[in-house]
Amino acid sequence: PNIKISKKEYLKKRNKREISSSRSDLIGLNHGVYNNLVVFIKFKGDADFSTSKAEIDSMFNHNGYHAISMNNYYKKATYNQLAMNSYCYPKADGNKVMAYEDIYPRNYYIPYNETTNPNGYKGDEEHQIREFALLKKAIEHIADEVPDTLNIDRNEDGLVDNVIFVVNGNTGDWGDL
């Protein structure tokens, strides 16, 4: 629901964002610390993630002049003015990355084919509805694990600043998801 909106409604929302993003109280949000949520997803019956928690933490949070990580990228691009700390959910089991396991198998998110994928979606609207539902379920699954003390709305607009969804496995032939 509400995935597709009218052009009038879109322009209204865009204008509201432009006004809020030009407010003087947002000055200074291009430095400091942002907290990023990383949500792992796998489909029903798929294998667990094989990458270790240590490797994932390194990809997102590793520091040091030559470190290759998202956090280090932001630090270098902003001359050490902005940090992007990432927190992974569901929480790991030791060094094992855990994932929200969806109720549907991977083929549910692949285009319909009468012969090869009768479980697939038909058309863009159904695709969007299924994808949105997947992401919503994943967020609901991890919501209680995110501490209330973790600031994920730095600009206080009522929205989470940044979320990355990591889906396990080979994408194969399944469109834009």
Side-chain angles (χ1 to χ4, degrees), residues 53-73:
K53 179 180 182 328
E55 290 175 274
I56 296 291
D57 283 342
S58 180
M59 283 187 251
F60 284 103
N61 295 315
H62 192 67
N63 287 308
Y65 185 78
H66 296 290
I68 299 173
S69 72
M70 188 173 81
N71 185 32
N72 206 40
Y73 168 80

Side-chain angles (χ1 to χ4, degrees), residues 1 12 35 59 71 73 96-97 101 108 112 119 153 175:
K12 181 178 164 185
N35 294 313
M59 283 187 251
N71 185 32
Y73 168 80
K96 181 181 178 184
V97 172
E101 184 171 356
Y108 181 78
Y112 170 84
N119 195 30
D153 182 16

Side-chain angles (χ1 to χ4, degrees), residues 10-47:
Y10 167 78
L11 292 173
K12 181 178 164 185
K13 288 181 179 218
R14 186 178 79 175
N15 187 40
K16 182 179 175 184
R17 280 190 190 257
E18 286 175 354
I19 290 169
S20 68
S21 66
S22 65
R23 294 186 330 220
S24 61
D25 61 333
L26 296 181
I27 293 174
L29 291 177
N30 61 350
H31 66 275
V33 177
Y34 277 87
N35 294 313
N36 175 49
L37 299 181
V38 181
V39 181
F40 294 92
I41 299 172
K42 70 177 190 171
F43 300 106
K44 183 178 181 179
D46 278 5

Side-chain angles (χ1 to χ4, degrees), residues 122-136:
K122 297 177 184 176
D124 287 341
E125 185 174 351
E126 190 173 357
H127 175 223
Q128 291 171 352
I129 289 169
R130 289 181 182 197
E131 182 177 321
F132 179 80
L134 170 66
L135 301 179
K136 183 176 186 281

Side-chain angles (χ1 to χ4, degrees), residues 80-139:
N80 287 321
Q81 296 294 305
L82 178 67
M84 180 69 74
N85 296 327
S86 295
Y87 298 86
C88 299
Y89 298 98
K91 291 182 180 173
D93 182 8
N95 201 31
K96 181 181 178 184
V97 172
M98 302 305 291
Y100 160 72
E101 184 171 356
D102 194 45
I103 61 173
Y104 296 108
R106 180 179 299 274
N107 66 358
Y108 181 78
Y109 298 97
I110 300 173
Y112 170 84
N113 180 292
E114 185 176 349
T115 306
T116 61
N117 192 25
N119 195 30
Y121 64 84
K122 297 177 184 176
D124 287 341
E125 185 174 351
E126 190 173 357
H127 175 223
Q128 291 171 352
I129 289 169
R130 289 181 182 197
E131 182 177 321
F132 179 80
L134 170 66
L135 301 179
K136 183 176 186 281
K137 289 181 287 185
I139 289 295

